[in-house]
Structure formats: C-alpha cells, structure tokens
Amino acid sequence: MILILLLSIPALASALISRCRKREMAEGIHLSASILSLVTAGVVAAWIWSGQAVIQLSLLRADALSAFMAAIITFVGAIAGIYAVGYMRLESDKSPFPRVRLFYTLFQLFVFTMLLAVTTDNLGLMWVAIEGTTLATVFLVNFHDTHTGLEAAYKYLMISSVGIALAFMGTVLVYYAAATEVGEIGLSWTALIAIAARLDPNVVKLAFLFILIGYGTKAGLAPMHTWLPDAHSEAPAPISALMSGVLLNVGFYALIRFKAVTDISVGPAFSSTWLMRFGLLSLGLAAAFLVSQRNYKRMLAYSSVEHTGIVALGLGFGGYWGIVGALLHMLNHALSKSMLFILSGSILLKYRTTEIRGIRGLLKAAPWTGAAFLCGIIALLGLPPFGLFMSEFMIFRAGFETQSAAYPVTGIALIALAFAGMLGSVNSMLYGRPSGELDSGDPLRWPIAPVALNVILLAGLGLTFPDAVRTFFDQVLKVVGMPL
Amino acid sequence: VSFARLANFLSFLFLLMSFLLIVRNSLAAQVRMFAVQSGVLAVLAAVVAYFGARWELFSVALVIAIIKVIVIPSVLTRAVSKIGIQRAVAPYLGASAALGICALLVVVAFYAMAPVTSSNRLPTADGIPLAFAGVLIGLFTTVNRRRALTQILGFLMLENSIFMVALLATYGVPLIVEMGVFLDVLVAVLILEVFVYRIKENFDSIDVKQMGALRG
C-alpha cells in the first residue's frame, strides 16, 4: 500500500498541476507533493531499516536498495523542488503561465518515473520507467528554448534512447536465459536471483555487456557520456540538480541489480573487470575536460562523469568496502552535486553568464550563495570533513585489497588531476573583487536555505559512520548478495 | 509451409529492409522501408502466435501494425513533406563502404549469437542472428547518418530488431512489458518529430552536423 502511496503522490501532483489555472496553486501542489514524497520515502526506509526486509505488492517491490534509492530521490527532489519555486519566480517571472505549469508538471513526472524505476520487481517495467525519465526530462533540458538547448536536448534524447535500447537488448537476453527455466516470470528480479546459478553463463555474459553499455549511458559512464555535459549544463538549475544528483544513480541502480544476477551466474570477476575499465576511462576523460573547462555548469557536469567513474570503480573493486564505498559515494555525490547545481542557478541569475571568467568575488557579491558553494566544492573535491573523502577512502582501500595496485593507483592519480583542474577554476570564481556595477546580496535567500541540510548531512557522513547507518548498508549489501 | 521456414523467410525479409534503408537516399523511401519492416515484424508476431499457440501475441501483432506500420510512418511522412527536404544528405560513409560494414556486422552477429542459437530448441532459432544483425545495423545507421530523420529511422529499426530477437528467441517478452515499450517508443517519436521541426526552424537544416556549438 505504502508503495502505491509513494508513487501516486508525484503522479497525482503531475496530473493536478497540468490542470491548474493559477501559479500559486501549481506551486502549492508542487511543494506539498515534494515534501510528502520525502516523508513517505522516509517511512518506507524506516520500515525496512527496522527489520521488515521487503515490501511487496504484485509488480511493486521495495527492499533495502530500493528504499535507499527512494530516499535519495525524494530528498534531492524536495531540496530542488523548494529551490525551483524561487528560481522559477525570478527566472521566468514574465514567461506565460502554461510554460511554468509545464515545468512543474514535468518535474513531478520525472520524480514519478525515477521512483517507479527503483520500486518495481519487473526488470522490463524498470526499463520502461527509465526510458520514461528521458522522455520526462527532454523538454526540461530545452526549457530555455535556445539553439544550444535544442542541440543538447536532441543529443540527449537520441543518445539516451539508443543507449537504453541496448539495455533492452540485454534485458531480452536475460529473459531468454531465464524463460527456459522459469517461463513468464523470468523478468522478475527476485525470480532471477533465485535461479541465477542455473542460467546459461555465456548468454548472461553477453547480456551484461549490453546492460552495462545501455544503463551505463544513463549513468554517464564514458565513452557513452557525451550527452551529459550538454544536457546537465543546458537544463534549468533545479533540473540539473535532479539529473546530476539522482538520475545518474538510477542508471547505477539498474546496473547493480543486473550485476548481482551476473555475479552469481558467471562469478564476480567478469562484471568487475568491465566496471573498472569503464570507471577508469570515465575518470580519465573527465579529468582531461576539467583541466581546461571554461563554463562552470559544464565543469560541474564533467565532475559528475568523474564521480560516476569513481562509483564504477568501487563496484568493480568489490568486497565489503568497495560496495559500501560505492553506495555511500552515490549518496554523497547526490548531496553535494545537487547542492552545487542549485547554487549554480543562483550564480547564473546574479552574474547572467555561465563563463568561469565572468565570475569574480562570489564570496563578496553573494555571501550566502558563495559560502555554500565553497562548502559544496570542498566536499566535491573529496576533502575532509565531508562525506566524499570517506567514501573515496573506502573505495580505494578496497581497490588495494582486492585488485592489483595498478587500478587504484591510476584512479587516485586521475582524481588528483581533476582536483587540480577544478581548484583553479573555482578559486578564481570565489575570490577577487566583483565588478563594480554588480550590487551586493544573494539573488535568492529562502530557496537556498534547505541546502544547509545537505552540508550538515555531508559533514555527518564525513565525520562519523554511525551504527544505524551501517546496519542499513549491511541490509543493502545483503540484498545484492554480498556476504558480510 | 513449415513454421521454421516461414520464420526464416520473414527474418530474411526483415534484414533486407535494414539493408535497403542504407542504400535508399530519398527520405520518403526510407520511411516506407521502415513501414515494410514493421509489417514483417507484425506478420511474424502473428505467425508465432498461431504456430506457437501464444494467443496474446495476436494483440501484439495488432498493436505493431497500428503503431509501427500506420501511426509512426504517417507521422514521419508528414514531417518529411512539412520540412520540404526530400533527400538525405551524404552520410559519413558512402553506400558501398556502409554495405561492406553491414555485411561484416552480419558475420559478427552470427558469432555473437552463437550462445543463444546453440542452446535454443525453438523452431524459430535460425532467424535470431539475422534479427541481431538488424540491431547492429540499426546502431550503425544512427551513427553514420547525419539527417535527424534518418537517425530516428535507424533508432526505430534498432528497436524493431530487438523485438524480432525477442520473438524468435523466446516468443516475445511478457505483454505488459511490450506494451510499455510501445508506449515509450511512440512518445519518443512524437517528441523527436517536434525536435525535427525546431531544428529545421533554428538551423535551417536537419543536418545534425550543423549543431556543433556544444563542445569541450
């Protein structure tokens, strides 16, 4: 029942908003739906944390991994949702109401498709939902209706659709391997896990490669990442926050589900090797583009490719710390990147440019925005006291334990390169003297207040790893078949 | 007529359409190739439904016929006449080079599908590599072509081929999934159509190479 509630909140909100006639009405429904979704997902996570392993209702099913994802989606959804109201008031104050209404309608639809993807047991339905995320966001990417926005949106739709079609090919192959054993229910993930040891390993290997390329496209793994910097930099800030913060994680969620099946069928070495290759390639490409980046939204987007690579490395390294590190890194990246994209919206509204060169003295010109941006960047660069430092530490510790040193050493070197590249750009944005004609003050105040929560959570995850959190991660690990 | 032969013949026809898409240069003809290919897919679904006693596949055949033979081709034909561009511009690779690559892809498909065909006892198994070759050729076409419309057709043929593989290898995926996929594809095509118009308006061309502002 609670799963139906969880899904129907954003679905209903989306439908209601599309019928609204007043702006305040649309904003009200949007805000209350965003908060209610977060509360409901919190209840789901609490139930599962307190011992109920699985909540199931025919095609819908939530275990610890689903609850983890739903919590991230709705949390970032709420933070970005609150900001969206302020952002849209300032940015599209004069644009006609139907456009604003379309924005909120698609926002909620986007949240709905992501929640459906992580709470269904049927891998085919999950595919439909993940393709749905692309369809819900494509107009949002082109929301500003510019030449570059159009280019980004077309590329995004084309590359994601082709990529995800390959994931469907992989899904069909898995279904083929399973259907000979169990018939029609072969697309149910629970049924698949149960019979994974009896699946034809050669078919599973082929299927996993298709899945990795397909969902890897959605997760932003190089070399299938080419749509990402365009789409994430062209979309309005609240949408970029959701796309970079959580949509990439939904791609990983699908990969983790299939990896669990593949590892039982053909042993963990196969998926792990491929994940490490794609991970290192993503890190390398991202580092190269971060060094010479001139646009701060694109810089944040390439940094997402970098962190996608780190998560893939963690999953590839495996072992207890590799998987826990990867999951934690997904959470940490969601918290820091969503916050930074939100703040990038405020920076854009203030300076009216996306060029790094055009931003000077952010800490003076917009003190709250600047301070929060600084915290987010420190977290994103993997510095203590924030969570990304911890999760990267866990991942590379696993790397040295389980793999030959070449992989973790290369990974760390590339992260250092990316670090140096970003630091230079950010430094020049934050410090210095703002140009004279800019009046001082933050463009938006209350809408960015909630990012304080992101900072607190990031610091919490960086300084401690409480038993309660650890128990929850242990439950997630049990779901993906990791012996504790 | 035996089931196996019929399935084989249809798979062959299906792949032929993928090849024809590569050589034809008129956009309207390319759309027709896609419609014919979808027709072949629909017939195969009906054949599998009849011989394999999977009655729900008749409804799948009907939906394919409506969406992919009638609705999507007419949407695309309308787009072709509206934007007033009849011919596809030169692809990155010319027709003969492209044909060579596609022939190679067929060989690759036979190798790649060996684990599936060798263990498959269904009478339709022989057609699987041909359908899978369609997947690879569809992928190649989307990468090789520069016109937005032809890229869309390449994507649609890729999608068709995956359905073909599913039909031949396991008599199709569960109904709810197929319907969900049809819905997604239909919406994707409708959105892409809007984009084709906007690209034409903004860039005065549907050559995707014109769009190159976003780099680095």
Side-chain angles (χ1 to χ4, degrees), chain A residues 147 150-151 154, chain B residues 27 79-80 82-90 92 145-152 192-212:
Chain A
H147 267 40
L150 183 60
E151 178 184 345
Y154 177 76
Chain B
L27 287 173
V80 170
K82 238 174 154 179
I83 55 179
I85 294 174
Q86 307 300 331
R87 301 187 64 78
V89 283
Y92 293 106
R145 287 292 184 156
R146 277 160 45 187
R147 280 259 200 270
L149 259 174
T150 322
Q151 286 188 337
I152 296 168
L192 280 166
E193 189 207 6
V194 174
F195 277 116
V196 169
Y197 292 145
R198 292 218 192 137
I199 292 172
K200 170 80 169 116
E201 272 165 32
N202 280 281
F203 297 91
D204 199 36
S205 157
I206 54 166
D207 184 347
V208 292
K209 243 190 138 184
Q210 299 287 326
M211 301 191 291

Side-chain angles (χ1 to χ4, degrees), chain A residues 59 128 131 138 142 147-148 150-151 153-154 157-158 161-162 165 168-169 175-176 202 206 210 230 289 298 302, chain B residues 112-113 115-116 119-120 132 139 148 151 155 162 165 169-170 172 174 176 184 192 195 198 202 208 211 213-214 216:
Chain A
L59 286 173
V128 172
E131 169 72 3
V138 63
N142 188 29
H147 267 40
T148 46
L150 183 60
E151 178 184 345
Y154 177 76
L157 182 55
M158 206 63 217
S161 298
V162 169
F168 188 58
M169 183 72 235
Y175 176 66
Y176 163 70
N202 288 321
L206 191 64
F210 274 101
D230 301 345
F289 280 98
R298 291 180 79 79
Y302 273 110
Chain B
M113 282 293 114
V116 178
S119 64
N120 201 317
F132 186 70
L139 191 61
Q151 286 188 337
F155 162 66
I162 297 172
V165 174
T170 71
I176 176 168
D184 275 351
L192 280 166
F195 277 116
R198 292 218 192 137
N202 280 281
V208 292
M211 301 191 291
L214 295 172

Side-chain angles (χ1 to χ4, degrees), chain A residues 306-369:
Chain A
E306 178 204 347
H307 288 281
T308 290
I310 297 175
V311 173
L313 275 182
L315 293 175
F317 289 159
Y320 179 82
W321 291 110
I323 307 289
V324 168
L327 291 167
L328 210 56
H329 202 73
M330 283 162 69
L331 171 61
N332 284 325
H333 178 248
L335 290 173
S336 58
K337 191 53 66 62
S338 59
M339 154 182 179
L340 284 167
F341 263 119
I342 283 173
L343 296 165
S344 82
S346 288
I347 299 174
L348 178 64
L349 289 174
K350 174 112 195 147
Y351 288 83
R352 298 280 161 194
T353 174
T354 52
E355 293 278 308
I356 289 172
R357 258 190 325 193
I359 316 289
R360 285 283 173 277
L362 182 62
L363 280 170
K364 277 209 194 84
W368 287 105
T369 311

Side-chain angles (χ1 to χ4, degrees), chain B residues 111-135:
Chain B
Y111 272 106
M113 282 293 114
V116 178
T117 36
S118 64
S119 64
N120 201 317
R121 287 184 297 274
L122 296 178
T124 46
D126 289 342
I128 298 171
L130 296 176
F132 186 70
V135 174

Side-chain angles (χ1 to χ4, degrees), chain B residues 62-98:
Chain B
L62 190 68
V63 175
I64 295 176
I66 293 171
I67 294 185
K68 289 188 159 176
V69 182
I70 300 169
V71 176
I72 294 181
S74 60
V75 165
L76 293 176
T77 311
R78 190 178 64 195
V80 170
S81 60
K82 238 174 154 179
I83 55 179
I85 294 174
Q86 307 300 331
R87 301 187 64 78
V89 283
Y92 293 106
L93 276 179
S96 49

Side-chain angles (χ1 to χ4, degrees), chain A residues 5-223:
Chain A
L5 183 66
L6 180 68
L7 291 172
S8 51
I9 293 171
L12 267 178
S14 178
L16 283 177
I17 292 170
S18 70
R19 307 228 160 275
C20 272
R21 294 178 178 282
K22 278 217 178 77
R23 187 168 184 144
E24 288 71 26
M25 186 85 156
E27 285 171 351
I29 297 173
H30 165 76
L31 277 177
S32 33
S34 300
I35 307 281
L36 272 177
S37 300
L38 175 60
V39 172
T40 317
V43 172
V44 171
W47 277 12
I48 286 175
W49 177 73
S50 66
Q52 180 169 10
V54 173
I55 304 170
Q56 183 147 24
L57 190 94
S58 84
L59 286 173
L60 299 180
R61 177 180 179 277
D63 53 26
L65 182 59
S66 318
F68 174 64
M69 295 297 305
I72 301 183
I73 293 167
T74 51
F75 180 80
V76 176
I79 301 275
I82 293 170
Y83 181 71
V85 173
Y87 180 85
M88 289 303 286
R89 277 189 191 165
L90 202 59
E91 202 268 342
S92 314
D93 196 28
K94 297 195 180 61
S95 56
F97 176 60
R99 265 174 69 76
V100 178
R101 187 172 61 189
L102 181 70
F103 176 87
Y104 290 123
T105 306
L106 291 176
F107 187 111
Q108 292 295 333
L109 192 63
F110 179 31
V111 172
F112 166 74
T113 50
M114 286 197 288
L115 285 175
L116 177 62
V118 300
T119 53
T120 175
D121 186 39
N122 185 299
L123 295 172
L125 212 57
M126 178 181 83
W127 184 92
V128 172
I130 294 184
E131 169 72 3
T133 62
T134 313
L135 301 176
T137 43
V138 63
F139 278 120
L140 292 172
V141 168
N142 188 29
F143 191 70
H144 296 311
D145 214 3
T146 55
H147 267 40
T148 46
L150 183 60
E151 178 184 345
Y154 177 76
K155 244 172 138 178
Y156 171 51
L157 182 55
M158 206 63 217
I159 297 174
S160 297
S161 298
V162 169
I164 206 154
L166 297 179
F168 188 58
M169 183 72 235
T171 310
V172 165
L173 287 172
V174 170
Y175 176 66
Y176 163 70
T180 47
E181 300 277 341
V182 291
E184 277 276 295
I185 60 160
L187 271 181
S188 144
W189 184 78
T190 8
L192 262 181
I193 279 286
I195 58 152
R198 286 187 281 144
L199 300 176
D200 181 344
N202 288 321
V203 177
V204 171
K205 276 185 187 172
L206 191 64
F208 183 76
L209 288 180
F210 274 101
I211 297 285
L212 181 59
I213 292 176
Y215 288 127
T217 310
K218 286 297 281 184
L221 280 176

